[in-house]
Amino acid sequence: MTENDDRLIDNSRIKLKTVLEKYCKQYNDLSIATGYWDLKSITELEASLDSLKKIRLLIGKEPLIPRYGVNDIEDDFPEDDISNDLIELDQSSEHKLVISKIKQWIDEEKLEVKILKNRFLHAKSYIFGTPESPKAIGIIGSSNFTGNGLSNNSELNYVENTSQIVQFEAR
């Protein structure tokens, strides 16, 4: 894969997982904005993410209430979503190790997780580097930070490797 071969990611010809693994080897920092996240994404990328010094994860709220026309239910996002995901999760030793790794990253302040509770976030972006990085890389597109978004779903993402375009301010 040459530098220009992986600029358009569709999970058919090029998988987002492969591109993220490649850039994790080259950078210390990763900032992710996603509409949805699942444990499978960390499971699939755990070794690559472990090599990073800082991971920032911004998770949005899926608009389920407006979609189903329900207005009077109690909103326990993200607690109910996380609880349901854990209940449905296969109780394998691999998943237990990944959950322990996530806890370790949070305790070490390597992983920062922020959740937008009051606003819908549909954007998906993966930014390698920091505002001070001379060669930051950005990936924007349709892939949520989920196992299916990384490898299985038909998606379309674009890698921008012109650092002047990928200027961002971590918030």
Side-chain angles (χ1 to χ4, degrees):
M1 184 170 20
T2 67
E3 188 166 320
N4 288 326
D5 287 343
D6 65 353
R7 289 190 56 153
L8 197 58
I9 306 160
D10 62 3
N11 283 349
S12 174
R13 185 181 59 84
I14 302 274
K15 295 191 181 300
L16 179 59
K17 177 185 174 192
T18 304
V19 176
L20 293 176
E21 289 170 333
K22 170 187 168 183
Y23 290 124
C24 280
K25 293 175 186 172
Q26 300 173 22
Y27 290 87
N28 292 323
D29 298 85
L30 172 60
S31 298
I32 301 169
T34 185
Y36 189 71
W37 164 84
D38 69 13
L39 189 62
K40 188 176 177 188
S41 62
I42 303 290
T43 303
E44 290 191 19
L45 289 172
E46 188 258 329
S48 296
L49 295 172
D50 201 35
S51 70
L52 297 169
K53 290 184 180 173
K54 190 70 166 180
I55 305 163
R56 293 171 200 85
L57 179 58
L58 176 63
I59 303 170
K61 179 179 178 180
E62 191 174 356
L64 295 176
I65 294 171
R67 182 182 306 157
Y68 296 106
V70 178
N71 295 319
D72 61 349
I73 67 170
E74 188 173 323
D75 188 12
D76 287 328
F77 173 82
E79 293 83 4
D80 282 351
D81 288 352
I82 294 169
S83 294
N84 288 334
D85 286 350
L86 290 173
I87 288 168
E88 293 176 11
L89 188 65
D90 177 34
Q91 299 298 312
S92 69
S93 58
E94 178 186 35
H95 287 139
K96 289 177 185 176
L97 289 173
V98 169
I99 290 169
S100 294
K101 179 63 77 169
I102 291 169
K103 183 183 180 322
Q104 175 189 340
W105 290 345
I106 291 170
D107 290 345
E108 294 171 351
E109 298 182 2
K110 172 181 180 159
L111 174 62
E112 288 180 15
V113 179
K114 296 193 179 185
I115 299 170
L116 287 178
K117 291 183 86 166
N118 299 323
R119 293 178 39 193
F120 171 56
L121 175 69
H122 193 62
K124 290 91 175 175
S125 70
Y126 304 81
I127 299 174
F128 287 91
T130 66
E132 296 79 29
S133 297
K135 294 187 176 188
I137 296 285
I139 301 170
I140 58 169
S142 63
S143 291
N144 279 307
F145 192 46
T146 63
N148 285 332
L150 294 176
S151 300
N152 299 328
N153 292 347
S154 295
E155 303 281 0
L156 191 58
N157 299 286
Y158 176 76
V159 176
E160 180 54 65
N161 56 12
T162 305
S163 58
Q164 293 86 351
I165 294 173
V166 188
Q167 292 190 17
F168 69 103
E169 184 94 16
R171 298 178 196 255

